[in-house]
Amino acid sequence: MASDPEGNRPLSEQELQDLVASSDAGARDPAGAVGVFLAIVAVTWSVFQVILASPISNVILPGSIVNNSRQIHLAFGLFLAFAAYPALKSSPRDRIPVQDWIMAVVAAAIAMYGYFFYDKVVNSGGLADETDMWFALVGLLLLFEAARRALGPAMAIIATIFLMYVFFGSSEWVPEVIRWKGASLKKAMSHMWITSEGVFGIALGVSTKFVFLFVLFGALLDKAGAGNYFIKMAFGALGHLRGGPAKAAVVGSAATGLISGSSIANVVTTGTFTIPLMKRVGFSSEQAGSVEVASSVNGQIMPPVMGAAAFLMVEYVGISYVEVITHAFLPAAISYIALVYIVHLEAVKRNMPTLGNRVVSMGKTIGGMAAFFVGFAALCYGVQYPVKAIVAMMPGASGLALSLLVVATYVVLLFVASKTDDLVPDDPNAKEVELPVVGEIYKAGLYYLLPIIVLVYFLMIEQKSPGLSAFWATSLLFVILLTQKPLKAMFRGQTNMIDTGMDGVRDLWQGLIDGARNMIGIALATATAGVIVGTVTLTGVGQVMADLVEFLSGGNLILMLVMVGLLSLVLGMGLPTTANYIVVSSLMAGVVVELGAQSGLIVPLIAVHLFVFYFGIMADVTPPVGLASFAAAAVSGGDAIRTGFIAFFYSLRTVALPFVFIFNTDLLLIDVTWTQGILVAISATIAILIFTAGTMGYWLTRSRFYESILLIFVAFALFRPDYFMNKLQPPFEDIAPTELVQALDTAPEGEELRIIVSGPDFDTGETVETTLLLSVGSEPTGQERADAFGLMLIEEDGIMKLDEPMFGTPVADDMDGFDFYADDPVQITEVKAPASQMPKELIFIPALLLLGLIAMMQRARIGKEEEMA
């Protein structure tokens, strides 16, 4: 798959495109009438999804279609999967065999079963009869086969194992710790196919409503030429620096990762240009591939798309989209900063040459890039003020006026672009490498930023739904694709307006096809992952996983998190980002919350979901299944396994960050003020750079072993100042459990008390404990505040016992694992109230002093080396 087994030769351009196609869009592309038919189906799917996301979808589409949009979405995905993906390596690529036609039609029809028999399904309350059961079973088998073709065997195998667990979970050969009572075929099929708990659940709904539009947006933006523009800008800004091609690869991959849902496509798209140039300045094949892998996979953690996981987090965590990307932004940003620094240290350590003949200072380059990003962010934010003014002046016609203003801005920027030559991809193997000059090329693609500004504006400022935001941005891309070539020709005084106009139509047509074909795998991944989610809800296996992890970790919190990370890594092997996140979050997120609470760690749910997501995407890097590593090795001609291991080493900060933000949620900008947020961003950036220097064994010069240890220690202090401050001053004061009501009575509104509850487990009878967080409300008395939480307090013999809380009260779900009717009581063993504490940021002072001492030691050593030289 990766390269020539005899010589590890790099694959040709055509072979690389086939690699991406076979993994992302389907390797089969028949010619003639069949090819045209498949193109029409793909375009129809894209157009349907655009209309579905539009603000007038309820007017254009019948209610039955809107209500069953998930079924239609999956029907398109299944049909195109059997048509576009061959069953075997030996299957024909230029035609579709009869059996694939049959499976495509049958699978699409069964996916639409809920649409065709909507009244029957609704009236039955989601309970399958004999007919429903057999249709559902055939549908599941065809879904698994389509997933095997489009996603590889891993997804289908994992889903099959979970489905077998549903049927045979009561068998004696199933370990007792995960045994359950089992389910009948009819009950299982009802749950998996007829209701919205399985295949047609939340994940497929998110794919239908949001993900398609963002994938289509990325495909159209790339078709318009934005991908090549971003890469050229990155090389123009960074290519002339030491290790410049690798730095440009990181930045270029970050830009394309913003709009790409596939790490493999990202690797091949940017890697075909960046990897040969990295090798040219001294990186080995494996190192060049590893840099591209690390930066491309990191694109999946970068908002706003995050490989579609951002939209799933909205549904699973229950917070707004803006909150999700706000929490995810800082770790992703500092992770990319660290990767640029890794590349820089590699280049300095090995004294790599520079490319080209331009000399530009790194300080000016970094300053210029920072100014661009700050300016772009300010532009996205500042747009709201003229928009508000226009809405105030003409409330009835503001929509039309703003649309005309955007189009006018586009025409002006396109006029500016027409004064420069169109950008064409460079040849990385050319004898003389001419790096682009940013000052000369930036005008050529400024109008590509308009759809991104529209998207960010609607998402962040207007806070519209992701689907509607992507609709307006995609609509603008329709206009751009259709008009950019003929308008440029007109501005340049050329006469081929009709020909260039037809080129625009062809670009739009191909973009719609690319968007649909890129969605096949995601649609099947979310549907198949629905089987895993359905298994969790039907069998309660999530609780079993918690018991298993707790047993293996012996209750040790750090070991438990390591085990959850490893399990997330294993479960994510061979899965695309979207399916990967669904699987690991369904199984592991609840484990971290529950076991964390038992250990006294209260973790916000978004932090837990980001934790398992970070480890899940690392499966794209890690051998032996790291798909992105294989793709990079195919480009570089290096060894895929070695590429994977080096990429994992470069990605150590992506492994370390989840542990940091689990314990220090400030990194996710949770409950911080603007000034705190800025301080956290600065300290976290410094910390990640120091951590990188420590793990790379090089800072100002080659580090000695103890210096590397000290650098990592300084990074830890900057990341976790609370750890040391809590040792100096305890963050909580203990209150007797019997005085809880009095403590609640005197506590100011908004203060958070922690209570540790101990009692017999409902399933095992063993004594367990959990930590509850009580945010004091506005009730006038302590007893009323306790009642508001649902705490049924009974004070006996100096012990504060608890009765079973009323259903629906705030603490009911957190305490549903206790047996309130056992001989031993459920009781409050500890009450902790916040204590006054010095600012934890004071720890930065000794940490930075230690950093200064290390710098003095290294500078002194550099001075001695220069004297000896």
Side-chain angles (χ1 to χ4, degrees), residues 604-618:
L605 196 54
I606 181 64
V608 178
H609 278 257
L610 286 170
F611 181 91
V612 296
F613 177 59
Y614 268 54
F615 275 96
I617 65 164
M618 285 303 295

Side-chain angles (χ1 to χ4, degrees), residues 238-245 247 343-344 347-349 351-354:
L238 298 168
H240 56 278
L241 300 174
R242 188 174 289 182
K247 292 170 183 171
V343 167
H344 174 71
V348 172
K349 270 199 298 186
N351 197 26
M352 291 181 180
T354 57

Side-chain angles (χ1 to χ4, degrees), residues 115-140:
Y115 172 74
F116 293 137
F117 300 100
Y118 181 75
D119 292 336
K120 174 188 173 184
V121 170
V122 170
N123 294 332
S124 69
L127 297 175
D129 59 20
E130 291 288 335
T131 305
D132 299 337
M133 178 184 75
W134 291 113
F135 270 99
L137 181 60
V138 174
L140 276 180

Side-chain angles (χ1 to χ4, degrees), residues 284-623:
S284 69
S285 297
E286 288 78 14
Q287 283 179 319
S290 300
V291 170
E292 187 58 55
V293 168
S295 51
S296 294
V297 169
N298 259 33
Q300 307 300 290
I301 64 174
M302 180 64 79
V305 180
M306 294 168 62
F311 316 117
L312 289 159
M313 285 181 192
V314 171
E315 301 293 331
Y316 289 159
V317 181
I319 60 177
S320 71
Y321 175 79
V322 172
E323 288 176 290
V324 169
I325 60 176
T326 300
H327 298 325
F329 175 74
L330 184 56
I334 65 174
S335 186
Y336 262 114
I337 290 170
L339 187 54
V340 172
Y341 192 48
I342 286 173
V343 167
H344 174 71
L345 292 178
E346 282 282 12
V348 172
K349 270 199 298 186
R350 301 172 63 179
N351 197 26
M352 291 181 180
T354 57
L355 279 177
N357 51 11
R358 282 190 296 129
V359 178
V360 182
S361 74
M362 190 168 183
K364 284 185 178 179
T365 299
I366 293 173
M369 291 182 67
F372 170 78
F373 285 116
V374 170
F376 182 72
L379 181 62
C380 291
Y381 182 78
V383 164
Q384 62 181 308
Y385 297 108
V387 169
K388 287 178 180 176
I390 292 172
V391 170
M393 283 190 296
M394 45 181 71
S398 58
L400 177 62
L402 290 170
S403 298
L404 292 174
L405 186 61
V406 170
V407 171
T409 305
Y410 158 63
V411 172
V412 170
L413 291 177
L414 196 64
F415 176 77
V416 172
S418 69
K419 302 306 176 185
T420 62
D421 294 334
D422 291 338
L423 302 180
V424 295
D426 294 316
D427 179 10
N429 298 308
K431 185 172 285 189
E432 292 293 329
V433 177
E434 286 291 332
L435 292 174
V437 179
V438 171
E440 296 173 3
I441 67 167
Y442 78 96
K443 298 177 183 177
L446 281 177
Y447 63 95
Y448 293 135
L449 300 179
L450 263 183
I452 300 174
I453 292 172
V454 168
L455 179 65
V456 173
Y457 173 77
F458 276 105
L459 283 174
M460 302 297 293
I461 308 301
E462 292 284 339
Q463 295 197 13
K464 300 294 185 185
S465 75
L468 186 61
S469 304
F471 167 78
W472 289 117
T474 302
S475 299
L476 178 56
L477 275 171
F478 278 24
V479 174
I480 290 174
L481 279 164
L482 287 172
T483 62
Q484 64 172 346
K485 289 182 178 178
L487 285 178
K488 275 185 182 178
M490 183 182 74
F491 292 143
R492 289 167 177 166
Q494 299 169 352
T495 57
N496 57 340
M497 294 278 292
I498 296 177
D499 291 340
T500 53
M502 290 307 298
D503 285 344
V505 172
R506 282 189 285 270
D507 286 344
L508 177 58
W509 179 266
Q510 191 58 50
L512 291 171
I513 294 171
D514 291 346
R517 291 188 70 141
N518 290 345
M519 264 305 296
I520 297 171
I522 297 175
L524 297 182
T526 51
T528 311
V531 175
I532 297 166
V533 177
T535 301
V536 173
T537 57
L538 180 62
T539 65
V541 71
Q543 180 59 47
V544 173
M545 293 294 292
D547 294 341
L548 181 62
V549 170
E550 183 180 21
F551 171 75
L552 294 175
S553 64
N556 181 282
L557 184 59
I558 297 295
L559 190 56
M560 178 269 289
L561 289 171
V562 170
M563 292 197 61
V564 169
L566 290 174
L567 279 169
S568 301
L569 197 64
V570 171
L571 288 168
M573 283 187 177
L575 302 185
T577 304
T578 313
N580 182 326
Y581 167 67
I582 296 167
V583 173
V584 296
S585 65
S586 300
L587 288 172
M588 295 286 107
V591 174
V592 178
V593 171
E594 181 177 338
L595 298 185
Q598 289 181 16
S599 303
L601 179 68
I602 305 296
V603 189
L605 196 54
I606 181 64
V608 178
H609 278 257
L610 286 170
F611 181 91
V612 296
F613 177 59
Y614 268 54
F615 275 96
I617 65 164
M618 285 303 295
D620 265 358
V621 176
T622 314

